[in-house]
Amino acid sequence: MYRIIFIAFIFISYRNFGQEHSTLFQSETILKNNVFKVLEYNPTDSIRFFEDYPSGYYSKFDKLGRIIESNHYSPFEINGIWQANMFKNYYLYDSLNNQIGIVQINDQMEQPIRLLEVKSFDKLTDSIKIARLSESFQTNSNFVFENIQKIEQIPFWGDTLKISKTHELVKSIKDSTISMHIFYNENGLKDSTIFRSTITGLNGKFNAETVTKYTYYKNENIHTIVQINYQLNNTRKIYAIYEYVYLENELLDLVMSFYSHNNVTRISKFKYFFRQK
Protein backbone atom coordinates (compact mmCIF):
# COMPACT_ATOMS: atom_id res chain seq x y z
CA MET A 1 0.00 0.00 0.00
CA TYR A 2 2.74 2.46 0.89
CA ARG A 3 4.40 2.12 -2.54
CA ILE A 4 1.14 2.98 -4.26
CA ILE A 5 0.56 6.03 -2.06
CA PHE A 6 4.13 7.21 -2.69
CA ILE A 7 3.69 6.87 -6.45
CA ALA A 8 0.36 8.72 -6.37
CA PHE A 9 1.85 11.79 -4.71
CA ILE A 10 4.79 11.88 -7.11
CA PHE A 11 2.45 11.68 -10.09
CA ILE A 12 0.42 14.60 -8.82
CA SER A 13 3.56 16.74 -8.70
CA TYR A 14 4.94 15.68 -12.12
CA ARG A 15 3.34 18.22 -14.43
CA ASN A 16 5.53 19.43 -17.27
CA PHE A 17 8.09 17.90 -19.58
CA GLY A 18 11.62 18.86 -18.67
CA GLN A 19 11.13 19.30 -14.96
CA GLU A 20 13.43 17.58 -12.50
CA HIS A 21 12.57 13.91 -13.18
CA SER A 22 14.75 12.24 -10.55
CA THR A 23 11.77 11.86 -8.18
CA LEU A 24 10.33 9.30 -10.61
CA PHE A 25 13.17 6.87 -9.92
CA GLN A 26 13.61 4.86 -6.74
CA SER A 27 17.19 4.31 -5.65
CA GLU A 28 16.69 0.56 -5.16
CA THR A 29 15.56 0.18 -8.80
CA ILE A 30 18.50 2.25 -10.05
CA LEU A 31 20.86 0.19 -7.90
CA LYS A 32 19.41 -3.18 -8.91
CA ASN A 33 19.81 -2.38 -12.61
CA ASN A 34 23.31 -0.84 -12.29
CA VAL A 35 22.15 2.44 -13.83
CA PHE A 36 24.62 5.31 -13.77
CA LYS A 37 22.77 7.73 -16.09
CA VAL A 38 19.19 8.42 -17.18
CA LEU A 39 18.52 10.58 -20.23
CA GLU A 40 15.09 12.13 -20.81
CA TYR A 41 14.04 13.48 -24.21
CA ASN A 42 11.05 14.17 -26.43
CA PRO A 43 10.67 11.24 -28.89
CA THR A 44 8.12 12.97 -31.14
CA ASP A 45 10.86 15.20 -32.61
CA SER A 46 14.12 14.07 -31.05
CA ILE A 47 16.32 15.83 -33.65
CA ARG A 48 14.77 19.23 -32.91
CA PHE A 49 14.78 18.48 -29.19
CA PHE A 50 18.53 17.82 -29.06
CA GLU A 51 19.16 20.91 -31.19
CA ASP A 52 17.40 22.97 -28.53
CA TYR A 53 18.70 20.99 -25.53
CA PRO A 54 22.04 19.41 -26.56
CA SER A 55 22.57 17.40 -23.36
CA GLY A 56 18.91 16.46 -22.94
CA TYR A 57 17.60 16.24 -19.40
CA TYR A 58 19.78 13.83 -17.47
CA SER A 59 20.45 12.44 -14.00
CA LYS A 60 23.56 10.55 -12.91
CA PHE A 61 23.76 8.10 -10.01
CA ASP A 62 26.52 6.64 -7.88
CA LYS A 63 27.08 2.95 -7.05
CA LEU A 64 24.60 3.22 -4.14
CA GLY A 65 21.79 4.38 -6.42
CA ARG A 66 21.94 7.98 -5.15
CA ILE A 67 21.59 10.89 -7.54
CA ILE A 68 24.87 12.81 -7.77
CA GLU A 69 24.33 15.06 -10.80
CA SER A 70 21.42 16.41 -12.84
CA ASN A 71 20.73 19.29 -15.18
CA HIS A 72 18.04 21.72 -16.23
CA TYR A 73 17.72 24.64 -18.63
CA SER A 74 16.80 28.30 -18.30
CA PRO A 75 16.58 29.42 -21.95
CA PHE A 76 17.02 33.06 -22.96
CA GLU A 77 16.88 34.96 -26.27
CA ILE A 78 19.74 36.81 -27.99
CA ASN A 79 19.01 38.56 -31.30
CA GLY A 80 16.00 36.35 -31.87
CA ILE A 81 17.91 33.12 -31.19
CA TRP A 82 17.10 31.05 -28.12
CA GLN A 83 20.05 29.84 -26.06
CA ALA A 84 19.76 26.65 -24.01
CA ASN A 85 21.58 28.03 -20.90
CA MET A 86 22.12 24.75 -19.05
CA PHE A 87 22.64 24.49 -15.30
CA LYS A 88 24.21 21.48 -13.59
CA ASN A 89 23.29 20.33 -10.09
CA TYR A 90 25.73 18.36 -7.93
CA TYR A 91 24.61 16.53 -4.76
CA LEU A 92 26.61 15.62 -1.64
CA TYR A 93 25.91 12.95 1.00
CA ASP A 94 27.17 12.04 4.46
CA SER A 95 28.08 8.56 5.73
CA LEU A 96 24.43 7.94 6.71
CA ASN A 97 23.18 8.62 3.16
CA ASN A 98 21.64 11.96 4.15
CA GLN A 99 21.76 14.44 1.28
CA ILE A 100 23.75 17.23 2.90
CA GLY A 101 24.59 19.54 0.02
CA ILE A 102 23.75 20.84 -3.42
CA VAL A 103 25.79 23.02 -5.77
CA GLN A 104 24.26 24.51 -8.93
CA ILE A 105 26.69 25.67 -11.60
CA ASN A 106 26.55 27.27 -15.04
CA ASP A 107 30.03 27.16 -16.59
CA GLN A 108 29.13 29.74 -19.25
CA MET A 109 28.36 32.54 -16.80
CA GLU A 110 30.77 35.06 -15.33
CA GLN A 111 29.66 34.01 -11.84
CA PRO A 112 29.18 30.24 -12.38
CA ILE A 113 27.82 29.28 -8.95
CA ARG A 114 24.09 29.91 -8.78
CA LEU A 115 23.32 27.95 -5.63
CA LEU A 116 25.43 26.46 -2.86
CA GLU A 117 23.90 24.94 0.26
CA VAL A 118 25.39 22.58 2.85
CA LYS A 119 23.57 20.91 5.76
CA SER A 120 24.80 19.36 9.00
CA PHE A 121 22.55 17.05 11.04
CA ASP A 122 23.03 17.44 14.80
CA LYS A 123 21.76 14.37 16.68
CA LEU A 124 22.29 15.86 20.14
CA THR A 125 20.04 18.88 19.59
CA ASP A 126 17.89 17.22 16.90
CA SER A 127 18.47 20.16 14.59
CA ILE A 128 19.85 20.93 11.13
CA LYS A 129 22.53 23.54 10.57
CA ILE A 130 22.49 25.11 7.11
CA ALA A 131 25.08 27.25 5.34
CA ARG A 132 24.10 28.80 2.00
CA LEU A 133 24.98 31.64 -0.31
CA SER A 134 22.92 34.75 0.38
CA GLU A 135 22.45 35.70 -3.30
CA SER A 136 22.76 33.83 -6.59
CA PHE A 137 25.18 35.00 -9.30
CA GLN A 138 26.71 37.70 -7.08
CA THR A 139 30.52 37.84 -6.79
CA ASN A 140 30.24 39.41 -3.33
CA SER A 141 27.66 36.92 -2.04
CA ASN A 142 28.19 35.93 1.60
CA PHE A 143 27.29 32.77 3.46
CA VAL A 144 24.13 32.79 5.58
CA PHE A 145 23.96 30.38 8.53
CA GLU A 146 20.73 28.92 9.87
CA ASN A 147 19.88 26.50 12.64
CA ILE A 148 16.54 24.75 12.13
CA GLN A 149 14.95 22.63 14.81
CA LYS A 150 13.54 19.38 13.51
CA ILE A 151 9.80 19.05 13.83
CA GLU A 152 8.40 15.71 14.85
CA GLN A 153 6.65 14.21 11.87
CA ILE A 154 3.01 13.36 12.47
CA PRO A 155 1.86 10.34 10.45
CA PHE A 156 -0.09 11.41 7.37
CA TRP A 157 -2.28 8.32 7.05
CA GLY A 158 -4.44 6.66 9.70
CA ASP A 159 -5.19 2.98 10.12
CA THR A 160 -6.25 0.97 7.10
CA LEU A 161 -9.90 -0.08 7.06
CA LYS A 162 -10.41 -3.44 5.35
CA ILE A 163 -13.77 -3.25 3.59
CA SER A 164 -13.46 -6.60 1.77
CA LYS A 165 -10.78 -9.02 0.58
CA THR A 166 -10.09 -6.80 -2.42
CA HIS A 167 -10.92 -3.34 -1.07
CA GLU A 168 -9.19 -1.17 1.56
CA LEU A 169 -9.75 2.41 2.68
CA VAL A 170 -7.21 4.72 4.29
CA LYS A 171 -7.86 8.29 5.48
CA SER A 172 -5.53 11.16 6.26
CA ILE A 173 -4.93 12.12 9.89
CA LYS A 174 -3.83 15.63 8.91
CA ASP A 175 -6.66 16.46 6.49
CA SER A 176 -10.14 14.96 6.73
CA THR A 177 -10.84 15.74 3.04
CA ILE A 178 -8.12 13.31 1.91
CA SER A 179 -8.82 9.60 1.49
CA MET A 180 -7.73 6.72 -0.70
CA HIS A 181 -9.58 3.57 -1.75
CA ILE A 182 -7.30 0.70 -2.76
CA PHE A 183 -8.52 -2.24 -4.84
CA TYR A 184 -6.66 -5.52 -5.42
CA ASN A 185 -6.87 -8.06 -8.24
CA GLU A 186 -7.20 -11.82 -7.89
CA ASN A 187 -3.42 -12.16 -7.47
CA GLY A 188 -3.33 -9.74 -4.54
CA LEU A 189 -1.71 -6.95 -6.60
CA LYS A 190 -2.99 -3.38 -6.63
CA ASP A 191 -5.57 -3.12 -9.38
CA SER A 192 -6.59 0.51 -8.92
CA THR A 193 -6.80 3.36 -6.42
CA ILE A 194 -9.16 6.30 -5.95
CA PHE A 195 -7.58 9.32 -4.26
CA ARG A 196 -9.93 12.12 -3.12
CA SER A 197 -9.02 15.55 -1.74
CA THR A 198 -9.94 19.23 -1.72
CA ILE A 199 -7.65 21.51 -3.74
CA THR A 200 -7.29 25.28 -3.71
CA GLY A 201 -6.67 26.57 -7.23
CA LEU A 202 -6.85 29.84 -9.17
CA ASN A 203 -10.64 29.64 -9.18
CA GLY A 204 -10.97 28.79 -5.50
CA LYS A 205 -11.48 25.46 -3.78
CA PHE A 206 -12.76 22.40 -5.58
CA ASN A 207 -13.04 18.69 -4.87
CA ALA A 208 -10.62 16.51 -6.79
CA GLU A 209 -10.47 12.81 -7.55
CA THR A 210 -7.58 10.83 -9.00
CA VAL A 211 -8.27 7.36 -10.40
CA THR A 212 -5.15 5.25 -10.98
CA LYS A 213 -5.15 1.88 -12.76
CA TYR A 214 -2.31 -0.66 -12.94
CA THR A 215 -1.31 -3.45 -15.29
CA TYR A 216 1.51 -5.95 -14.72
CA TYR A 217 4.03 -8.15 -16.49
CA LYS A 218 3.94 -11.90 -15.92
CA ASN A 219 6.68 -11.49 -13.30
CA GLU A 220 4.27 -9.14 -11.44
CA ASN A 221 6.38 -6.04 -12.05
CA ILE A 222 4.33 -2.98 -13.03
CA HIS A 223 3.85 -2.54 -16.78
CA THR A 224 1.60 0.53 -17.04
CA ILE A 225 0.05 3.05 -14.67
CA VAL A 226 -2.73 5.29 -15.98
CA GLN A 227 -3.77 8.20 -13.79
CA ILE A 228 -6.85 10.29 -14.56
CA ASN A 229 -7.38 13.51 -12.58
CA TYR A 230 -10.92 14.81 -12.20
CA GLN A 231 -12.28 18.12 -10.97
CA LEU A 232 -15.53 17.65 -9.08
CA ASN A 233 -17.88 20.61 -8.88
CA ASN A 234 -21.32 20.35 -10.36
CA THR A 235 -19.91 17.88 -12.88
CA ARG A 236 -17.04 15.35 -13.01
CA LYS A 237 -14.54 16.86 -15.42
CA ILE A 238 -11.17 15.46 -16.55
CA TYR A 239 -8.38 18.02 -16.25
CA ALA A 240 -5.29 15.81 -16.74
CA ILE A 241 -4.33 12.26 -17.78
CA TYR A 242 -0.93 10.66 -17.19
CA GLU A 243 0.31 7.33 -18.48
CA TYR A 244 3.53 5.73 -17.22
CA VAL A 245 4.97 2.79 -19.15
CA TYR A 246 7.63 0.65 -17.45
CA LEU A 247 10.15 -1.82 -18.76
CA GLU A 248 10.09 -5.34 -17.38
CA ASN A 249 13.09 -4.52 -15.15
CA GLU A 250 10.97 -1.80 -13.41
CA LEU A 251 12.72 1.14 -15.09
CA LEU A 252 10.46 3.87 -16.47
CA ASP A 253 10.30 3.82 -20.28
CA LEU A 254 7.76 6.47 -21.28
CA VAL A 255 5.58 9.18 -19.74
CA MET A 256 2.62 10.65 -21.60
CA SER A 257 0.58 13.53 -20.21
CA PHE A 258 -2.58 15.24 -21.48
CA TYR A 259 -4.01 18.55 -20.21
CA SER A 260 -7.62 19.33 -21.01
CA HIS A 261 -7.44 23.13 -20.46
CA ASN A 262 -5.19 23.57 -23.54
CA ASN A 263 -5.65 20.18 -25.21
CA VAL A 264 -1.89 19.56 -25.12
CA THR A 265 -0.18 16.15 -25.00
CA ARG A 266 3.46 15.81 -23.91
CA ILE A 267 5.67 12.73 -24.17
CA SER A 268 8.92 11.97 -22.38
CA LYS A 269 11.12 8.99 -23.30
CA PHE A 270 13.92 7.65 -21.10
CA LYS A 271 17.22 6.13 -22.17
CA TYR A 272 19.48 4.30 -19.70
CA PHE A 273 23.23 3.94 -19.46
CA PHE A 274 24.40 1.02 -17.35
CA ARG A 275 27.43 0.55 -15.15
CA GLN A 276 29.31 -2.65 -16.01
CA LYS A 277 29.17 -5.24 -13.26
Side-chain angles (χ1 to χ4, degrees):
M1 180 187 74
Y2 297 103
R3 177 187 173 98
I4 298 302
I5 292 171
F6 172 75
I7 288 175
F9 276 114
I10 285 178
F11 289 175
I12 290 169
S13 67
Y14 188 75
R15 288 288 181 253
N16 296 311
F17 175 83
Q19 289 183 340
E20 176 66 54
H21 60 240
S22 58
T23 53
L24 293 174
F25 302 101
Q26 297 189 49
S27 59
E28 56 265 32
T29 305
I30 293 294
L31 180 62
K32 181 176 66 175
N33 288 283
N34 294 300
V35 174
F36 77 87
K37 181 179 178 180
V38 179
L39 178 66
E40 177 187 359
Y41 64 96
N42 183 350
T44 58
D45 189 354
S46 59
I47 295 176
R48 174 67 182 273
F49 172 79
F50 284 110
E51 287 177 351
D52 293 338
Y53 308 101
S55 296
Y57 289 91
Y58 70 81
S59 295
K60 293 181 180 180
F61 303 85
D62 65 11
K63 292 182 179 181
L64 298 178
R66 304 175 304 190
I67 183 169
I68 55 173
E69 182 184 335
S70 67
N71 75 331
H72 76 279
Y73 297 86
S74 180
F76 62 90
E77 186 179 4
I78 298 180
N79 298 325
I81 300 176
W82 283 95
Q83 310 294 320
N85 195 30
M86 185 179 76
F87 292 85
K88 293 182 180 180
N89 307 308
Y90 298 93
Y91 307 88
L92 307 173
Y93 298 85
D94 64 13
S95 60
L96 299 177
N97 284 340
N98 294 312
Q99 189 181 110
I100 60 170
I102 179 172
V103 182
Q104 189 174 94
I105 294 176
N106 186 325
D107 295 331
Q108 305 303 314
M109 302 188 70
E110 182 179 352
Q111 175 59 29
I113 298 178
R114 180 182 183 184
L115 171 69
L116 196 162
E117 182 176 288
V118 180
K119 297 178 181 179
S120 175
F121 295 85
D122 191 331
K123 290 184 178 180
L124 294 177
T125 61
D126 203 23
S127 62
I128 303 173
K129 296 179 180 178
I130 301 175
R132 59 178 174 81
L133 287 178
S134 58
E135 295 183 56
S136 300
F137 305 116
Q138 302 300 317
T139 56
N140 60 348
S141 181
N142 298 316
F143 272 99
V144 176
F145 298 91
E146 296 178 85
N147 193 7
I148 302 176
Q149 196 69 29
K150 284 186 180 179
I151 300 175
E152 183 179 354
Q153 295 296 317
I154 301 173
F156 187 86
W157 296 102
D159 295 332
T160 300
L161 176 63
K162 195 170 184 64
I163 296 175
S164 70
K165 290 182 178 180
T166 59
H167 182 191
E168 294 179 345
L169 171 64
V170 60
K171 294 185 177 182
S172 171
I173 296 174
K174 294 184 177 181
D175 188 337
S176 60
T177 69
I178 296 177
S179 65
M180 181 179 286
H181 291 265
I182 306 169
F183 301 91
Y184 297 87
N185 61 24
E186 58 186 8
N187 296 323
L189 301 172
K190 274 74 175 180
D191 177 76
S192 59
T193 63
I194 301 174
F195 178 87
R196 295 192 176 105
S197 64
T198 299
I199 296 176
T200 301
L202 296 176
N203 299 320
K205 285 188 175 181
F206 63 91
N207 294 324
E209 180 179 279
T210 299
V211 177
T212 307
K213 298 181 179 180
Y214 303 83
T215 65
Y216 297 86
Y217 287 103
K218 290 182 179 180
N219 64 2
E220 298 189 349
N221 286 341
I222 290 177
H223 182 204
T224 62
I225 302 176
V226 178
Q227 175 194 0
I228 305 175
N229 293 344
Y230 297 93
Q231 182 173 330
L232 308 177
N233 287 329
N234 296 326
T235 59
R236 190 168 184 255
K237 181 181 177 182
I238 294 175
Y239 65 90
I241 300 175
Y242 304 94
E243 182 173 359
Y244 301 80
V245 181
Y246 288 82
L247 301 170
E248 202 164 354
N249 59 8
E250 299 185 279
L251 292 173
L252 187 62
D253 181 44
L254 193 74
V255 176
M256 292 182 284
S257 53
F258 168 78
Y259 307 93
S260 62
H261 71 280
N262 56 9
N263 202 34
V264 168
T265 299
R266 293 189 176 95
I267 302 177
S268 290
K269 178 78 172 175
F270 299 90
K271 182 178 179 180
Y272 296 90
F273 300 84
F274 301 96
R275 185 176 282 108
Q276 291 193 4
K277 298 181 181 180

